[in-house]
Amino acid sequence: MGSKFARAAVLAGLLVAVPAAADDRKAVDDATLYSKPGERSRAVAKVKRGAKIKVLATDGRWLKVRVGGKTGWLPRTKVSQPASKRSPFGGEGRSDDDDQRGWGGPGTRGRGGDAVGGDDDDRDRDRDRDRDRDRDRDRDDDDDDDDDRDRDDDDDDEPRDERPAYEVRSKRAELLDRASRRGDVVVELRRGDVVRLEREDDGWFFVETEAGDTGWIRDDEVARAAPARAPGRRLAIRAGAGLGFSMIGQRLQTAGGQQGVPDNYKLGSSAASLALGGQVAYEVSPRVYLGGELAYVGSKGYPGIAYMGGNTAFSTHRVDLRASVGYDLQVLGGLVAGGRLGYHYDVFSVADVTDFTKNPARIPSDRLSGITFGVGAEAPALTPKLAAHVGLDLMVAGSRAQTVNLEDGLSPSSGAVWLTLGGRYQVRPRLDLDVRYQLSASNVDFGAPAPASMRGHPATGDGSERVDRTHAVIVGASTRF
């Protein structure tokens, strides 16, 4: 009895003293290593596809791993499946046959008391088999590395998951087997988990998790994920067009001039507007984005500037080119805030400007251009279908020019500011309805009068000052690429 206890103690000591082999795997796709389970936690590092990964622990659909000297959490779907594990004694783990036969099944018959230890020939065969399998595994690893390199070369040809991505808003949420609060729970989700939308049904979303689970969740428990953060996508492109109307006003005051036109006047007109634009955003790190924008807004005055029983036709054209940098604040709604530097070109064009039978008020055409600086913020997932953005831009260096011989002054200097408020509503997975309001405001000091100008300002005056205000509302559609 004592010898049996001694053998058992030695065996138990070996089981404790010999650690299990490391659970070494590979990244099956580019991924972000997070400090905690959940995409809303702090990003630790970027993991390249094919990188060697050591799995340390599991938590639902998340794996705690060590890769490249860093420890963090990865979604289970970003990590390859484990190879068959080796036993503490150096042999292979239980095979499918082992699972079927158990400890006392057919696999142990005919071996009697040698079922565990075996004779010398059995041990030799086991060692030979282990060496062969190790060699095969090494060859497979080499082949996998070659395949990974081939996949890297063909990465641009891989299909992308175009289903809309949503993030769980609630601290805890349940994925149910039917669109009812009385449905059975498929899996529990936590805040920041990403799901893919399959279809909608009266306030419910049928979604798929990154682990492959499918079920129903209330639409108010998820928020639209930022497009640039979609799995496998670092570049987001948006283009759109819209129609709208504008209210355009000018007020000119001239010191010492006559009370009416051209020295002092106040005009206003409505205008039909057309807007075109495109945006690009690139994720340079898990929280930093670089972007660019090109926007055009053109307006045609209707009925025009009313004066002396007639209407003077005019149009405006505005172009903005901007480069921006944004920082993901990692709050609900995917709020990104940042700054932008741009170039602004703005034209107020009077039709037949030098024909005073059509332009009896002798109002000059006007051009404003220069460098702008601005700040902005965007919440691409304010609600499951609604996004919002705001921007404020200021001209920091610019110039203004008017029609020759119709100048209001010799040395115009101006300041200008633009405020933009906008929202987007998802109509379809890749089609959004856009609404935007913009206020443009500028003040101009024309300096000393221009003696050669046919505007008629008195040469002894102190010059003219003009205030411009434009309110524009644009409604349109945009799509993502």
Side-chain angles (χ1 to χ4, degrees), residues 142-153:
D142 293 338
D143 293 340
D144 288 342
D145 291 338
D146 293 338
D147 292 341
D148 289 338
R149 283 191 291 270
D150 293 339
R151 282 196 298 270
D152 287 337
D153 293 338

Side-chain angles (χ1 to χ4, degrees), residues 224-258:
R224 184 71 180 269
R229 292 179 64 87
R233 298 290 297 272
R234 301 187 69 185
L235 179 67
I237 303 175
R238 176 182 293 275
L243 297 173
F245 69 92
S246 302
M247 295 298 297
I248 299 174
Q250 285 187 359
R251 186 183 65 194
L252 180 74
Q253 293 180 321
T254 303
Q258 62 184 11

Side-chain angles (χ1 to χ4, degrees), residues 23-25 80-86 92 137 141:
D23 188 359
D24 292 326
R25 311 191 201 175
S80 64
Q81 295 297 319
S84 57
K85 298 180 180 179
R86 299 180 62 86
E92 292 294 322
R137 187 179 294 107
D141 288 342

Side-chain angles (χ1 to χ4, degrees), residues 383-445:
T383 71
K385 289 193 172 185
L386 183 63
H389 60 90
V390 59
L392 182 66
D393 296 276
L394 177 70
M395 178 160 285
V396 294
S399 63
R400 185 180 291 270
Q402 293 182 297
T403 303
V404 176
N405 293 328
L406 287 179
E407 300 94 338
D408 286 302
L410 289 174
S411 54
S413 61
S414 60
V417 63
W418 297 269
L419 171 66
T420 304
L421 304 173
R424 291 194 304 269
Y425 180 80
Q426 181 192 354
V427 180
R428 294 183 178 178
R430 297 183 64 181
L431 179 65
D432 294 331
L433 174 67
D434 293 340
V435 179
R436 183 174 72 223
Y437 163 78
Q438 187 169 69
L439 168 65
S440 301
S442 67
N443 294 347
V444 191
D445 184 350

